[in-house]
Amino acid sequence: MICPIFEQNQYYNFSNEIKPKGKIKQRSIGLDQATHITGYSIFDDGKLVYADTFETIADDEIERDIEIKNWLIQLIQNWKPDIIGLEGIQLQQFNNKTVGITTYQTLARLQGILMATCKEQNIQYVIIPPATWRAHCEVKGRARADQKRSMQMKVKEWFDITVSNDIADAIGIGKYLNDKHKKKVEIFNWE
């Protein structure tokens, strides 16, 4: 039996039914870039309307990148966003040594593909550094695992839902994007 209060939460069961834009001024997508499981969030006029993950199945890096590109094209064609926030990439430091260079290179190649795909689809995009959106969302913790858990707790606080860390990060990216990159609407005075 499901708690009636929990069941009434609009974020409990996202409907994957694509909503027409209608009177929506800005539809945006926040993308937590990864080569295996990519979290994404969709906001309409600053309101979270959908969040999920896309998982690639290919073993080869370029085949995964092509899967992600084709998925992103489909996402753009279905949801018709005005802007997409792509999570930036960063080199990792541990004990004053750079680590994860192979992962950095893999994500750099993917980021280039995502940027080119947005450009080909005529969609505005913004690269959002992880430190920037995390600071905006007031994510706590020094270790990566602590930051992931902190973001999940923020989503629980804001929307009363429990999500994976990939979805939580995508929601954080989407929130930053919506708060900092609002579509400018011109107001005309016809008097």
Side-chain angles (χ1 to χ4, degrees), residues 63-85:
E63 288 175 10
R64 285 193 309 269
D65 289 349
I66 291 168
E67 274 186 62
I68 293 169
K69 176 183 178 171
N70 291 335
W71 165 77
L72 181 58
I73 290 169
Q74 192 65 49
L75 190 70
I76 289 168
Q77 290 174 352
N78 288 342
W79 286 91
K80 299 176 181 20
D82 298 295
I83 188 169
I84 294 178

Side-chain angles (χ1 to χ4, degrees), residues 22-173:
K23 295 181 182 180
I24 296 167
K25 294 180 189 105
Q26 178 170 301
R27 175 169 285 162
S28 58
I29 295 176
L31 202 60
D32 173 37
Q33 105 166 301
T35 60
H36 290 282
I37 300 175
T38 300
Y40 64 102
S41 62
I42 301 172
F43 286 77
D44 285 347
D45 293 333
K47 181 180 181 241
L48 178 65
V49 295
Y50 190 71
D52 203 351
T53 57
F54 172 75
E55 189 168 352
T56 58
I57 57 172
D59 292 326
D60 178 70
E61 177 187 335
I62 194 66
E63 288 175 10
R64 285 193 309 269
D65 289 349
I66 291 168
E67 274 186 62
I68 293 169
K69 176 183 178 171
N70 291 335
W71 165 77
L72 181 58
I73 290 169
Q74 192 65 49
L75 190 70
I76 289 168
Q77 290 174 352
N78 288 342
W79 286 91
K80 299 176 181 20
D82 298 295
I83 188 169
I84 294 178
L86 303 172
E87 183 178 35
I89 56 174
Q90 62 186 6
L91 277 171
Q92 302 294 316
Q93 296 283 327
F94 184 72
N95 291 335
N96 294 325
K97 292 182 182 178
T98 302
V99 296
I101 292 174
T102 303
T103 301
Y104 179 83
Q105 292 171 333
T106 299
L107 290 174
R109 288 187 286 270
L110 176 60
Q111 186 173 71
I113 290 168
L114 296 174
M115 293 165 62
T117 301
C118 288
K119 189 73 171 171
E120 289 169 354
Q121 297 294 310
N122 201 29
I123 298 294
Q124 180 185 357
Y125 67 89
V126 178
I127 304 295
I128 305 169
T132 301
W133 71 259
R134 286 184 182 135
H136 178 76
C137 294
E138 299 178 353
V139 172
K140 306 291 184 218
R142 292 185 73 94
R144 187 171 185 261
D146 294 336
Q147 292 172 346
K148 297 276 186 190
R149 182 71 187 127
S150 176
M151 190 60 225
Q152 286 176 297
M153 292 183 340
K154 288 288 183 183
V155 169
K156 179 73 172 167
E157 175 187 324
W158 297 333
F159 305 107
D160 194 25
I161 54 173
T162 302
V163 296
S164 71
N165 59 39
D166 297 306
I167 294 174
D169 285 359
I171 291 171
I173 294 161

Side-chain angles (χ1 to χ4, degrees), residues 25 183-191:
K25 294 180 189 105
K183 190 173 185 180
K184 292 177 177 46
V185 178
E186 293 185 34
I187 299 174
F188 294 98
N189 185 352
W190 296 99
E191 298 178 326

